[in-house]
Amino acid sequence: MAVVVGVRFKDTGKIYYFDPGQEQLGIGEKVIVETSRGVECGEVAMKNQEVSDSSIVQPLRKLLRRATKDDIQRLEENHRKEKTAFRICEEKIAQHGLEMKLVDVEYTFDNSKILFYFTADGRVDFRELVKDLAGQFRTRIELRQIGVRDEAKMLGGLGICGRAFCCGTFLDSFQPVSIKMAKEQGLSLNPVKISGACGRLMCCLKYEQEAYQDLLRTTPKVNALVSTPDGKGVVIDQNLLTRKLTVRLDKDPEGAPKVFHASEVKLLRDGKVKVDKKEADQLKGLE
């Protein structure tokens, strides 16, 4: 076990552990730390506490100091310079005729490097752009291509639920989300209904997936063969949350299907939840 403090460098970024030494820090305090990128100013997101050695990425770097007024002023000045750099970079991109969209600009705390984040449909040859920017700013330049999920996280916005993006408020990392999750949760495979503003599957599909998987283990799936109080039949629809099954009985295939609770039926042969090739092709690119 080791005592660490958690520091975040972006509002919804990942939390990194540092050795606080003798300092007792509170959430929200600005601190100066040394990272792989150099000296950075971050915000305490987790106060001093013990964590297991297995959760620490070695080597555990030490906290340098609490941020001073001069440090805070430098941070604010960097933010002002980022806005200017953003405008200049957009002009340079247009001059070079590059098919790329600038998303964000970030100065390192010590001004030793400027990072430009962009999105593009494919690979972009930005070598001449880097030379141009290096000549303009007289410092190291790094252009970093990001995905559409990262773009949404950086820019923020409102989801179809009416709330701020999860990725822009509390998610510090993206979890894998698949079309099969939407299928297992009984959602309409309509891209408009299951994708977020970024154009990818909504992150919230992951939240209740374990609960749905648990229900699927104890509830006959669609196309399952079951024995009901009225005879054998095939499940043609299910509601996992209520555990109600709509069954077409073998003895009356042309008649109206009947509804049974999962506790009333006996499973004879289970079905499978799968995304067929046609559905997969239609939803290609959402994952």
Side-chain angles (χ1 to χ4, degrees):
M1 302 288 284
V3 176
V4 301
V5 63
V7 177
R8 180 178 276 148
F9 300 100
K10 291 182 179 292
D11 291 341
T12 55
K14 185 178 178 181
I15 294 176
Y16 297 88
Y17 292 154
F18 291 89
D19 179 359
Q22 301 302 312
E23 297 282 0
Q24 290 296 321
L25 298 158
I27 292 176
E29 287 191 67
K30 296 288 187 182
V31 293
I32 305 300
V33 295
E34 185 175 359
T35 71
S36 57
R37 292 196 327 187
V39 176
E40 292 285 353
C41 180
E43 183 176 293
V44 175
M46 185 189 81
K47 60 184 180 181
N48 302 51
Q49 69 179 55
E50 281 192 345
V51 298
S52 63
D53 293 333
S54 60
S55 64
I56 298 174
V57 177
Q58 298 293 346
L60 180 63
R61 298 175 186 266
K62 286 192 174 184
L63 184 85
L64 297 181
R65 65 178 188 276
R66 281 184 166 90
T68 64
K69 287 184 179 180
D70 289 341
D71 293 328
I72 301 300
Q73 287 178 355
R74 174 185 284 190
L75 198 62
E76 292 172 350
E77 178 62 25
N78 284 351
H79 290 330
R80 286 193 288 270
K81 290 194 292 186
E82 285 166 0
K83 293 178 181 179
T84 302
F86 190 98
R87 176 180 53 79
I88 292 173
C89 185
E90 280 194 318
E91 292 173 357
K92 298 292 185 185
I93 289 172
Q95 289 172 12
H96 287 276
L98 298 174
E99 294 294 327
M100 56 192 288
K101 177 186 174 185
L102 186 63
V103 176
D104 196 19
V105 178
E106 180 185 353
Y107 269 79
T108 57
F109 180 71
D110 57 5
N111 284 192
S112 62
K113 184 195 296 185
I114 310 175
L115 294 97
F116 296 86
Y117 298 92
F118 71 94
T119 58
D121 291 334
R123 293 176 65 96
V124 178
D125 184 355
F126 48 69
R127 287 173 293 183
E128 293 303 317
L129 175 62
V130 170
K131 291 178 184 177
D132 210 351
L133 292 172
Q136 176 78 37
F137 296 106
R138 301 294 179 181
T139 189
R140 290 173 60 200
I141 300 295
E142 182 177 332
L143 267 72
R144 189 172 295 177
Q145 187 169 355
I146 61 174
V148 289
R149 289 183 187 270
D150 296 295
E151 179 185 11
K153 183 180 180 71
M154 287 182 174
L155 299 181
L158 297 178
I160 59 174
C161 59
R163 297 176 66 89
F165 292 161
C166 295
C167 61
T169 51
F170 63 89
L171 287 182
D172 58 9
S173 61
F174 294 107
Q175 298 296 319
V177 187
S178 67
I179 296 294
K180 189 178 179 183
M181 289 182 184
K183 189 85 170 180
E184 288 177 340
Q185 294 176 28
L187 299 175
S188 167
L189 296 188
N190 181 336
V192 176
K193 294 183 178 180
I194 59 175
S195 58
C198 61
R200 297 292 188 267
L201 291 173
M202 294 187 294
C203 294
C204 54
L205 290 177
K206 180 74 173 178
Y207 299 165
E208 298 177 352
Q209 180 61 15
E210 288 185 9
Y212 277 97
Q213 287 179 327
D214 186 58
L215 287 169
L216 281 168
R217 282 192 285 269
T218 58
T219 307
K221 303 176 184 66
V222 173
N223 293 324
L225 180 63
V226 295
S227 174
T228 76
D230 293 341
K232 292 183 182 179
V234 176
V235 177
I236 60 173
D237 194 20
Q238 66 173 180
N239 185 317
L240 283 177
L241 299 181
T242 62
R243 302 195 71 213
K244 293 290 182 68
L245 305 172
T246 303
V247 180
R248 177 175 288 114
L249 298 173
D250 291 350
K251 67 180 182 182
D252 190 12
E254 302 299 325
K258 291 193 174 184
V259 178
F260 301 93
H261 191 271
S263 61
E264 298 179 278
V265 306
K266 181 180 179 181
L267 179 64
L268 301 178
R269 186 187 68 243
D270 206 359
K272 290 184 179 180
V273 177
K274 62 180 181 178
V275 181
D276 61 39
K277 188 175 184 302
K278 184 178 179 181
E279 288 175 326
D281 290 341
Q282 290 175 338
L283 301 171
K284 189 176 181 181
L286 287 186
E287 294 184 344

